[in-house]
Amino acid sequence: MKAFRCQVCRQSILFENTKCESCGHMLGYLPGHGEMTAVEAVGNGWRALADGTREYRFCKNWELHGCNWMVEKGGSSEYCLACRHNRTVPNLTDDKRRAAWQKIEAAKRRLFYSLIRLNLPTPTASENDSEPLVFDFLAEEPSQSPVLTGHDSGLITIALKEADDPVREKMRHEMGEPYRTLLGHFRHEIGHYYWDRIVPHSRHLRPFRELFGDEREDYTSSLQRHYEEGPPADWRQNHISAYASCHPWEDFAETFAHYLHIVETLETGRSAGLVVRRDDGSPARVEFDPYSYPDVNEMIDNWLDISFALNNINRSMGQPDIYPFVISPLVKDKLGFVQNLLKAHAQLAARDCARRARDSDFVTPICLGEA
């Protein structure tokens, strides 16, 4: 995540902020520009100081304190690029459930920040796409089966209980997971979505199987074996996490999630001017745009230096490692596969958007990654 500043007073502001605490201006995010912006009321809309060429309004979920993104006034949807994918949300008249939903939405917006920066397509159900991206955020009811977080043919379900910190921490401990967050769930499940969307009928399938294994292995049996017997003893040499070892699909989704972890954190470090010392005393800094599909070896080398420093900082505060994972040579190759896959797909998406723009006489298509 890059750094943002208020256009009025130059105070540093965060991606989730809705008001500048220094000058009092309302704040919103313009996904088409990749900018947090101070806004001023104009009639029944808002003037965005980061873009004085048009008027905006807030996403409809802003009224529920569930979103700070903006849409162009007069646009076709009341919801922003992230919220228009929601299919089911919990009963928001329940204060506890609404607070959990707000946490989920905050994590989802960070996911969409990355998808936009990577120029990846996120079709909605209204776009006549064969596999639109849809979200259900579900609370458990006493008379119904437990809600499971997961992905199925474009539908990503997030269990509302994952927004309950004590419950999620208990599950993290019981399942032996060193890392379990709402944002991590989104990044993992979106990995399943893009695998389904890109890999099966593409030139990427054979190299996928060479690196990750044969996905035709029975998934249910593999999952059952993992929970009954645990991961193989040498899983750290081949996988980014123990769970990744249970099946090639999960290996890809876990690797995909870690690619997003690394890219966004490196952008944050770059934006903050973060410099750390390598073992040989030389400075390590991020001098490239992590979202521009840089050389994966350079990216991972920088990440290893920075994550080691971050882990030490956390330990100095009595906290667990912020990144308790090992990137083996094979895992680096898998991260490189994810990068090459997304880069190729983003290029196709950009060409398709350019074609639609040429063919459209009246409407300019919204292309992710334009900013």
Side-chain angles (χ1 to χ4, degrees):
M1 183 67 65
K2 67 181 184 180
F4 300 106
R5 290 186 179 275
C6 174
Q7 289 80 13
V8 177
C9 66
R10 306 308 299 168
Q11 171 75 22
S12 293
I13 53 179
L14 299 174
F15 187 61
E16 291 79 14
N17 286 156
T18 57
K19 180 181 178 181
C20 177
E21 297 300 328
S22 176
C23 68
H25 271 75
M26 295 291 295
L27 300 172
Y29 182 68
L30 301 180
H33 294 266
E35 289 291 344
M36 288 289 294
T37 182
V39 298
E40 295 176 342
V42 177
N44 61 349
W46 298 88
R47 181 171 70 92
L49 301 189
D51 176 20
T53 64
R54 65 198 77 186
E55 288 186 28
Y56 290 87
R57 53 187 171 78
F58 280 98
C59 171
K60 189 173 182 180
N61 280 335
W62 180 69
E63 301 168 6
L64 299 168
H65 304 287
C67 186
N68 65 344
W69 284 28
M70 308 194 79
V71 296
E72 189 174 342
K73 188 178 177 182
S76 59
S77 176
E78 295 181 295
Y79 295 95
C80 70
L81 287 177
C83 290
R84 66 187 61 175
H85 292 270
N86 290 359
R87 188 180 75 169
T88 307
V89 298
N91 178 5
L92 300 180
T93 61
D94 182 302
D95 290 343
K96 185 176 181 180
R97 291 184 176 184
R98 184 163 77 169
W101 169 75
Q102 289 166 343
K103 287 184 179 181
I104 289 173
E105 291 291 352
K108 190 188 73 181
R109 290 195 299 277
R110 282 197 172 252
L111 170 70
F112 271 82
Y113 173 90
S114 294
L115 302 183
I116 292 171
R117 294 283 281 112
L118 291 168
N119 199 26
L120 295 174
T122 56
T124 64
S126 64
E127 294 178 34
N128 198 32
D129 187 90
S130 60
E131 192 172 331
L133 178 60
V134 182
F135 294 95
D136 281 352
F137 305 136
L138 303 180
E140 292 188 355
E141 304 295 346
S143 61
Q144 299 176 356
S145 301
V147 176
L148 300 178
T149 292
H151 168 264
D152 182 16
S153 302
L155 171 63
I156 291 177
T157 300
I158 302 292
L160 205 67
K161 63 186 176 185
E162 292 289 349
D164 186 319
D165 294 340
V167 170
R168 190 179 63 253
E169 178 63 17
K170 182 174 183 290
M171 294 172 66
R172 186 191 69 79
H173 179 73
E174 290 175 349
M175 300 182 74
E177 297 176 344
Y179 176 90
R180 189 184 182 99
T181 66
L182 281 171
L183 184 53
H185 281 312
F186 274 112
R187 288 172 173 168
H188 176 97
E189 302 305 339
I190 203 71
H192 285 301
Y193 173 74
Y194 284 114
W195 192 94
D196 283 357
R197 188 174 182 88
I198 305 172
V199 178
H201 306 293
S202 74
R203 60 181 173 83
H204 304 286
L205 183 58
R206 179 176 292 180
F208 167 83
R209 287 174 176 167
E210 292 173 353
L211 270 176
F212 293 86
D214 193 334
E215 82 290 350
R216 292 170 293 188
E217 177 187 354
D218 186 79
Y219 179 76
T220 303
S221 298
S222 298
L223 213 59
Q224 182 178 355
R225 182 174 62 249
H226 173 78
Y227 286 122
E228 290 178 354
E229 303 176 7
D234 63 347
W235 68 264
R236 288 178 178 83
Q237 299 173 29
N238 304 307
H239 306 281
I240 190 63
S241 69
Y243 186 61
S245 69
C246 71
H247 190 274
W249 284 337
E250 298 302 341
D251 194 5
F252 178 84
E254 285 286 272
T255 306
F256 189 103
H258 279 258
Y259 185 81
L260 296 188
H261 295 337
I262 291 167
V263 166
E264 180 161 350
T265 309
L266 284 178
E267 188 188 44
T268 303
R270 180 191 187 210
S271 188
L274 180 65
V275 180
V276 300
R277 294 288 175 185
R278 296 190 174 98
D279 290 341
D280 62 5
S282 63
R285 58 170 60 88
V286 185
E287 297 180 321
F288 53 86
D289 178 3
Y291 277 106
S292 65
Y293 299 105
D295 177 81
V296 72
N297 292 305
E298 181 182 7
M299 187 175 80
I300 298 303
D301 288 347
N302 274 265
W303 173 242
L304 292 175
D305 292 323
I306 289 174
S307 62
F308 181 79
L310 293 176
N311 286 344
N312 271 333
I313 290 171
N314 258 32
R315 291 186 182 199
S316 296
M317 292 292 293
Q319 295 292 327
D321 288 351
I322 194 170
Y323 192 74
F325 302 95
V326 175
I327 298 179
S328 68
L330 180 55
V331 169
K332 182 189 286 190
D333 289 342
K334 291 178 179 180
L335 289 165
F337 176 89
V338 169
Q339 184 188 70
N340 290 334
L341 180 77
L342 297 186
K343 183 178 181 180
H345 202 55
Q347 291 170 341
L348 288 174
R351 287 198 291 269
D352 180 63
C353 191
R355 177 190 57 77
R356 289 187 287 122
R358 289 194 303 270
D359 295 345
S360 176
D361 294 328
F362 304 104
V363 180
T364 301
I366 296 175
C367 299
L368 298 185
E370 284 180 328

